[in-house]
Amino acid sequence: MLNFENDESTEEELLLLENRNYKSCSEVNDNVIKENGVLIKEEKTNSVYTREQKILFICIALSNLFQYISWSVLAPFFPTEAARLDASPTQVGLIFGIYSLVQCLSSPVFGKYLPVIGARFMYIAGYFLTAGCNIVFGFLDELDPGLEFVIFCAVTRSLEALGTAAVMTAGMSLIANKFPDAIGQVMGTVEVFVGVGLMIGPFIGGVLYEIGGYTLPFAVLGGVMLLHSFLLLFILPLDDENIRTKSGSYLWLLSIPGTWVATSASFIGAASVTFLDPTLSPELEKFNLTPIQVGLVFLLMGVSYGITAPIFGWLADKYNISRLLIIFGCFLACVGYLTIGPWLPLHIPHSVATMCIGIIVLNVAFGSAITPTYQDYLGTVTFNGMPDNMSTYGVVSGMFMCAYSLGSFTGPFLGGLLVENLNFGTASSFLGFLNFIFAVVILIFSLFEYRCGKGRRKMICTSRFNHRTDEGQGLLVD
């Protein structure tokens, strides 16, 4: 047996150790060689997904499906019910918007302390909290109308957002940890379930509301999620033993200029997606479309995004072109918004057909711009010296969710403000040119960072992080 408590191990012994056959450990994602509890070597495998990986993927995919059904299930009936209970449109908007705002504020905290709390515990506890809040929300119509109803709705929705932030932050970190060679592809495939949840959530909510009134949609969904949370206790894989117990550093992360590309891309992408939430339906109604036809247009959004997101994730993994895909997606989003508006100088006829074409282009663009963002984030921070472990995954996931949630909060507000004071065509053109400017800025920065194709340079703004520390001596500051 090799003795690693002294420095007398030779290169020949290490080579012999590397050549040993560890096929008996094939059910584990990474073959880890340990001696006396010390990590010696970690071998990545490019084989098909292991049983543990498949179970983890199914858990995260189903959780995301239910999470986003939960987020969208109240859309078709809650505004009407809230008005019946003396809630003003502004208060209803607050109840909807506070969800993303709380996610934005809480995600960095969860990311910071994820290695200390544990990804598995954070994931299950957050999911359980979301399930419970769904059930509670279904009985809030029994409260007195007016301020009492609004306050309890906002508090319950905020607690639900806390649970969702914990689930999403832990889930992305688990993907990065368990799928190191297929992050983009797995994230893209998971996004399919997000899209499906957003598509079918309003439909499920409307059907259950017609059958059983206000309480039934939340009771059914909350009950299913509660059962799922108990199942996760038995089927969600345990955390790896080698996960560090120290939290990561946001100061270090934000000192790397390249991370601002991914942070900004997450914000702009989310704002561009949610910009259409309050604006698209009223514009479509001008063409005298029925509610079912309007629903089919929204379905088109989810289908086009769900099909293309895994493809762009696979391209980012295979060819390591996440930054190029982000730039391409932003340019394409400009084309989509100028078409859907349309921008007057283009002289494109404003019709349902052109709007549908613009919607397809937009959601293909979102698949390209958003899906590779997390992978670009991880590649940037590890290249610039941050350790490739759960502490880094936690702060990256927290910052990603913070920027995305802030964009989700800003997008509907900005959309409503612009359409109210201008018109849909001008507002859409504004979003298009915003994406164009952002794409140009990223392109110029990337040419500088990659030295016009000669190779990537390390860029850290704070001198205290200019040296790369060893994996076991990671510099972690608050």
Side-chain angles (χ1 to χ4, degrees), residues 29 34 57 65 91 98-99 114 124 161 183 248 287 301 333-334 341-342 351 403 416 475:
N29 177 38
K34 291 185 178 181
F57 172 79
L65 175 67
Q91 292 171 332
I98 201 171
Y99 189 92
L114 183 142
I124 296 175
I183 297 174
F287 298 98
M301 296 173 61
C334 174
S351 64
L475 180 59

Side-chain angles (χ1 to χ4, degrees), residues 118-431:
R120 184 177 186 271
F121 176 81
M122 181 181 292
Y123 193 92
I124 296 175
Y127 197 72
F128 182 82
L129 177 61
T130 304
C133 288
N134 264 290
I135 296 175
V136 171
F137 204 89
F139 294 94
L140 295 183
D141 64 328
E142 302 296 330
L143 297 173
D144 292 335
L147 188 61
E148 180 178 293
F149 171 77
V150 172
I151 291 176
F152 274 88
C153 283
V155 170
T156 306
R157 193 77 168 157
S158 298
L159 291 174
E160 183 181 347
L162 280 176
T164 302
V167 171
M168 298 301 292
T169 303
M172 286 190 293
S173 300
L174 286 169
I175 288 175
N177 184 50
K178 297 294 186 180
F179 299 89
D181 300 320
I183 297 174
Q185 184 177 359
V186 174
M187 290 284 286
T189 307
V190 167
E191 285 295 311
V192 175
F193 291 86
V194 172
V196 171
L198 291 174
M199 284 189 296
I200 67 176
F203 174 76
I204 292 175
V207 170
L208 293 178
Y209 176 75
E210 288 291 332
I211 295 174
Y214 178 87
T215 302
L216 188 61
F218 301 106
V220 171
L221 181 60
V224 171
M225 293 181 68
L226 196 63
L227 176 62
H228 188 208
S229 65
F230 283 115
L231 292 177
L232 289 174
L233 289 170
F234 301 99
I235 62 178
L236 191 67
L238 297 174
D239 290 336
D240 291 344
E241 295 179 0
N242 62 322
I243 291 179
R244 297 179 59 173
T245 57
K246 293 183 179 180
S247 57
S249 168
Y250 283 110
L251 180 60
W252 189 357
L253 183 144
L254 294 176
S255 71
I256 303 171
T259 61
W260 288 93
V261 172
T263 302
S264 302
S266 302
F267 173 79
I268 296 293
S272 298
V273 171
T274 56
F275 169 85
L276 295 174
D277 288 350
T279 59
L280 182 60
S281 181
E283 188 67 17
L284 290 172
E285 290 175 357
K286 295 179 181 179
F287 298 98
N288 298 319
L289 299 183
T290 65
I292 294 178
Q293 290 171 327
V294 173
L296 289 175
V297 175
F298 277 92
L299 179 65
L300 184 65
M301 296 173 61
V303 170
S304 54
Y305 178 76
I307 292 175
T308 56
I311 297 175
F312 287 119
W314 176 81
L315 289 173
D317 285 329
K318 185 172 180 62
Y319 299 105
N320 193 25
I321 54 172
S322 56
R323 185 69 60 84
L324 288 176
L325 290 175
I326 292 173
I327 296 171
F328 169 75
C330 291
F331 279 124
L332 194 60
C334 174
V335 175
Y337 267 117
L338 294 182
T339 304
I340 197 176
W343 188 40
L344 291 178
L346 295 179
H347 300 291
I348 299 175
H350 189 38
S351 64
V352 176
T354 55
M355 290 189 71
C356 288
I357 293 173
I359 286 171
I360 293 174
V361 173
L362 269 180
N363 284 275
V364 172
F366 296 150
S368 177
I370 297 176
T371 305
T373 303
Y374 188 80
Q375 186 180 6
D376 185 76
Y377 227 138
L378 283 179
T380 298
V381 298
T382 53
F383 178 82
N384 284 278
M386 293 188 72
D388 188 7
N389 58 25
M390 189 60 81
S391 64
T392 297
Y393 303 155
V395 293
V396 168
S397 300
M399 187 56 64
F400 176 89
M401 283 300 302
C402 175
Y404 192 89
S405 300
L406 183 60
S408 298
F409 176 78
T410 305
F413 172 77
L414 182 62
L417 182 66
L418 291 176
V419 171
E420 183 178 352
N421 291 279
L422 300 171
N423 56 63
F424 181 79
T426 305
S428 298
S429 301
F430 174 83
L431 259 292

